[in-house]
Amino acid sequence: MTSNRWFIDSETGELSDVLLCPPDNYTWIPSNDIAIQTMAKGARIDRAALAAQFGELVSALEGAGVACHFLQPRAGMPYQVYTRDSSQTTPWGTVVTRLMRPERRAEEGEIRTFFQPDEIWKSASQGHIEGGDIHIIRPGLVVVGVTGGRTDEAGAREFLGWFEAAGWTTRMIRFPEHFLHLDVIFTMVTENLAIAAIDVLDDEDLDWLRGQGIRLLPVSYKEAMRDMGCNVLALGRDRVVSPRHSVRINEMLRAEGLTVIDPELNQFSQGGGSIHCMTMPLRRASLVTG
């Protein structure tokens, strides 16, 4: 029996608790195409700016009424700051995922230290699956991105099987591996509204998403890869956290009536991750009413 302490049944219910990790040991490493391009240009991390940007994100979340919880940063875990990947909150408790990259596998230990044993519902045991590829869209509907890299078909099938057993509608969305995770090219921003790199996602997947009543706002390839423009965090109640440098996207979201909170996060986006990657929602208000 798992604890009810942590719960989400959507990407857009009002967020009350989130898991982060301070960037004490964060560094850019050539493990993804975005970081490789950044490093090839001779860019270097500004550690003072890095710490300030993380602090700005925490302040923004707390200012929006979100309780921030933190993993203990460990030496030798350069991407532990991207807490999205190492676990996944569900309606039934936490799933410990199965990270693909060797330099990230040790993150599982810190996840198991943070959560109480009765808070862990399942542990992935097949292939690989990472939280950045998992999108619990709303109660009864979940998708998993599959590249064959960070998340492969075996990992996706095991995870989706648990939801199918509960009667949920599921789908695998396939795309090229250099995009890393689904949240680089698709993210919900409020109920039934998402931003997406529509020139990347297959037409069949776009049609399926629209068939589920989800309206898609277009993000370009350059915005997705250069700016991590899709990598935003919905807070619920028509609020979203989006990087300050995503100027056009933020204007587009505001035109939809959303409140956009825009901390500066370019030290993280240049390494291949942004707000969505850096946050694992622990508790959201359920979208089920009545």
Side-chain angles (χ1 to χ4, degrees), residues 20 30 41 54 86 116 164 260 280:
L20 304 107
K41 294 173 183 175
F54 185 78
S86 49
Q116 298 296 316
E164 289 164 0
V260 177
M280 172 45 68

Side-chain angles (χ1 to χ4, degrees), residues 41 133 148 158:
K41 294 173 183 175
D133 279 317
E158 180 184 44

